[in-house]
Amino acid sequence: MAANKKLLVLPGDGIGPEVMHEVRRVIDWMDRRRALSFEIEEGLVGGGAIDAVGSPCPDETVEKAKAADAVLFGSVGGPKWDSLPFEQRPELGILRLRKDLGLFANLRPALVMDPLVEASSLKPDIVRGVDIMVVRETVGGIYFGEPRGVETLPDGKRRGFDTDVYHEDEIARVARVAFDLARKRRGKVTSVEKANVMQSGRLWRAVVGEVQKAEYPDVALENMYADNCAMQLCSRPKQFDVILGNNLFGDVLSDLAAALTGSLGMLPSATLGAVDPATGKRHALYEPIHGSAPDIAGKGIANPCAQMLSFAMLLRWSFGLEEDAALLETAIEKVLAGGLRTADIMQPGMARVGTSVMGEAVLRELDKLAA
Ligand code: IPM
Ligand code: MG
């Protein structure tokens, strides 16, 4: 039997617990059928944690996350907590975990699965075969830069400000993640910024270029302004392999890339820290990109695929279990090819199902594939 793998599961708010439930069944299946032994802990995060202990990211959760080999995260937030002060937002749950665990590289694949080509709002010809990996910096830039705040001026008017700041080492380390990925993919990185208007963007472009020249001459680098990238993503998405961006541009462009695929309900992500040279390990957190979707929470209709695919990324990235990751991905694709759809990806002629039926169908496909 394989060595224990310590997982921290943080279901969070909204549809998080519902879709996580389906992943727990996949984990049980893997325990049974593949003899992967997981040691699972659960923790509090987001609005639920605010209600229970008064903080969106309790110290205990951070400690558990640091002790785990990997964190599987659901989603946080909802209308119930929308009016809390800025310092108490449920979103701080994920932001603090990223920061405290040093999770600087967020990998967001936007893959158009063949059975879902028609689910995109773009023409099938434009999106068929799209396979993009957005690499987003997640512990720096305008999300954390100081000074920030809203101040009241002597005339009584308010002034709000944030700071977009990057040290060259922060740029270089996330650029290396993008170049390494491109090497295993189609060998191209598109680095986005606004070097035409932002000083930090100017440095971003310079440093990414230096890293490429010195360490990755075999990878093609293209620099693109972030606004142009948004336009190109909608018109010619197939030109992209890896897109590299800072925290803010990466946030926006990864949603856009995700939308090309037809459903946020299908997309996973991984956020990785640096490899510890002593142990060879790295902190890592895996989460679907759809968020807590409060409008459909509690109805049993959420799509569990993104959370399951996040678990597949966890198997691949944290444990090197490529075969098991691919097995789960194939099972999901087969279920879709068989015509089952949750509401978010429903198309004419397909069979509409809820969260648990979708989950069961994936388990059945896993049984068949493993037989
Ligand atoms: C994301 C989300 C978060 C972000 C929010 C929930 C803080 O939009 O993961 O993309 O902006 O990073
Ligand atoms: Mg976002």
Side-chain angles (χ1 to χ4, degrees), residues 16 124 154 195 207 251 321 360 365:
V207 173
D251 180 44
L321 296 167
E360 264 151 40
E365 275 309 329

Side-chain angles (χ1 to χ4, degrees), residues 76 89 91-92 94-95 98 106 108 136 138 143 247 250-252 254-255 269 287-289:
V76 291
R89 295 160 294 153
E91 286 77 8
L92 283 179
I94 184 65
L95 295 179
R98 285 177 190 158
N106 183 211
R108 300 189 162 185
R136 166 190 176 195
T138 27
Y143 273 60
N247 211 341
D251 180 44
V252 175
S254 62
D255 263 29
S269 80
E287 60 178 319
I289 76 159

Side-chain angles (χ1 to χ4, degrees), residues 251-327:
D251 180 44
V252 175
L253 293 172
S254 62
D255 263 29
L256 183 46
L260 298 178
T261 69
S263 172
L264 297 192
M266 291 301 304
L267 296 177
S269 80
T271 318
L272 309 174
V275 177
D276 178 343
T279 62
K281 290 185 173 187
R282 76 195 318 173
H283 287 307
L285 179 148
Y286 302 84
E287 60 178 319
I289 76 159
H290 50 56
S292 58
D295 51 322
I296 60 163
K299 297 186 179 161
I301 59 172
N303 186 348
C305 291
Q307 191 77 59
M308 289 183 175
L309 290 168
S310 299
F311 180 64
M313 284 188 96
L314 180 155
L315 293 171
R316 174 175 293 124
W317 282 88
S318 282
F319 301 122
L321 296 167
E322 175 56 43
E323 204 186 312
D324 299 276
L327 190 73

